[in-house]
Amino acid sequence: ALKLSLWAALLSLATAFMHGSSCQHTLKKNVDAKSEPSYVLKLSASEENNEQSTTKVTGVTLKMAFDSSPVWGVADLSETKSERFTSPESLDMVHRLRRDSSAVLVGRGTVEFDNCSLSVRRVQLGEGQEQPVRVILDPSLSLVGGEYAIFNDGLRTIVYYSQSAAQDKDVSLPSSDDCVTFVPLAQSDDEKNDKIPSLSPSEIVQDLATRGLTHIMVEGGPATARAFLHSGVVDRAILVRAPVEFQEPVPAQMDEDTMKTAGLNMIGTTEMGGDVVEYWTREGLEWPNPDDLSSWP
């Protein structure tokens, strides 16, 4: 048992070193000593085109991917498991955006359905650079007790939850440690039509700023994207449209009017491995490189 515990500790430390994390290995749920880590770094074939940008970006950047259907489908109900549907080039771009972000934020459902890591894997981190902090919106603490990779890989994670919802459900909250931090927030009235998330995006962005996290990448899902758009905190957006049409698309329940109401204007498009990438930005706010949209991220 002692040998296994020592091996688990060494594995966690090695993982943190590989991913550039300063987080200690004191998670309540350690990586199983007998299992292969699923987050081993994989570089893309076009790594020479994925050098880190020197552009300093702040604010909130939304990234979403859709099929080509008019309902802006984000998933296919006819599929038994979630599959990537965008091009490898678009996926490389997503990892570059993660690398240029201080935090990557998703809602509870994205973790629950995709068991994602939200780490930078397809491109190299800069020298001495840490992985972005993962941020999860889990108002009712539904993920607590689940065996999700994001809580077990030794990288920094912040979980925002509704203090009142947790009290109503009498949820047993794990102690925060060096890697996973639980932050209670008051119930939000920002989004009464969307029950998830029920936390204030503006309050979350402000709290992250106090933690030194000044460029937030919002990566989904659609309810989280809508909440951040409706709250008016999104500064720019990258929308990827794949040349596929789902048989049973899950509508994003957002469209161009949603983007415009959020104060965003589309400033151009590029082609990326067959996908069409749209670039949206707040009026008066230039794209990080207005002369070449595709150069960032």
Side-chain angles (χ1 to χ4, degrees):
L2 179 60
K3 288 183 179 179
L4 285 178
S5 297
L6 178 60
W7 174 246
L10 289 173
L11 177 61
S12 183
L13 278 172
T15 300
F17 175 79
M18 179 180 66
H19 286 276
S21 171
S22 60
C23 182
Q24 300 298 313
H25 61 286
T26 53
L27 282 173
K28 298 300 179 184
K29 299 175 184 176
N30 289 322
V31 177
D32 188 274
K34 297 180 181 178
S35 66
E36 285 269 359
S38 60
Y39 37 79
V40 173
L41 181 68
K42 292 183 178 179
L43 298 180
S44 67
S46 58
E47 178 61 28
E48 64 274 11
N49 296 323
N50 288 318
E51 295 181 0
Q52 187 167 15
S53 169
T54 57
T55 304
K56 179 65 175 177
V57 180
T58 59
V60 176
T61 302
L62 170 67
K63 172 266 160 186
M64 291 288 289
F66 310 101
D67 74 343
S68 59
S69 69
V71 299
W72 294 28
V74 294
D76 193 345
L77 290 176
S78 68
E79 299 289 339
T80 56
K81 58 180 283 189
S82 177
E83 298 285 355
R84 298 284 182 190
F85 58 90
T86 56
S87 69
E89 291 86 350
S90 293
L91 192 53
D92 288 347
M93 178 271 293
V94 171
H95 283 254
R96 291 196 301 271
L97 179 54
R98 287 179 183 175
R99 182 177 59 188
D100 278 5
S101 303
S102 47
V104 179
L105 182 150
V106 297
R108 168 200 58 82
T110 300
V111 175
E112 192 171 52
F113 297 125
D114 295 341
N115 195 18
C116 49
S117 72
L118 304 178
S119 58
V120 178
R121 302 184 303 281
R122 293 177 65 92
V123 298
Q124 288 184 323
L125 292 170
E127 185 176 353
Q129 183 183 8
E130 295 186 357
Q131 287 280 354
V133 175
R134 287 84 56 87
V135 179
I136 305 170
L137 309 190
D138 186 14
S140 301
L141 292 172
S142 304
L143 300 177
V144 171
E147 293 295 331
Y148 299 104
I150 202 167
F151 295 131
N152 292 285
D153 60 8
L155 302 178
R156 289 180 60 199
T157 303
I158 298 173
V159 180
Y160 288 101
Y161 68 96
S162 167
Q163 193 166 26
S164 60
Q167 291 172 347
D168 293 342
K169 290 190 174 184
D170 193 25
V171 177
S172 179
L173 182 66
S175 299
S176 294
D177 56 38
D178 290 336
C179 286
V180 182
T181 302
F182 292 89
V183 180
L185 294 177
Q187 193 82 10
S188 170
D189 294 326
D190 284 357
E191 200 60 60
K192 294 186 177 180
N193 294 326
D194 281 327
K195 296 187 181 300
I196 299 176
S198 56
L199 304 172
S200 167
S202 57
E203 186 175 352
I204 290 167
V205 172
Q206 291 170 9
D207 184 76
L208 290 173
T210 66
R211 300 171 189 271
L213 305 174
T214 57
H215 181 210
I216 314 305
M217 173 187 180
V218 177
E219 200 167 338
T224 300
R226 291 194 303 270
F228 273 71
L229 288 167
H230 292 166
S231 295
V233 297
V234 177
D235 295 297
R236 65 193 69 82
I238 300 174
L239 307 184
V240 181
R241 299 189 182 280
V244 297
E245 187 164 345
F246 296 144
Q247 293 183 35
E248 298 179 43
V250 177
Q253 298 182 42
M254 52 189 286
D255 53 23
E256 290 190 1
D257 287 340
T258 309
M259 305 296 291
K260 293 175 182 177
T261 301
L264 302 175
N265 297 313
M266 188 169 69
I267 57 174
T269 64
T270 61
E271 188 272 341
M272 201 167 288
D275 299 336
V276 175
V277 181
E278 298 178 359
Y279 301 90
W280 296 71
T281 189
R282 184 169 301 284
E283 187 171 354
L285 181 66
E286 283 194 336
W287 197 253
N289 186 348
D291 297 325
D292 182 6
L293 297 179
S294 64
S295 68
W296 186 88

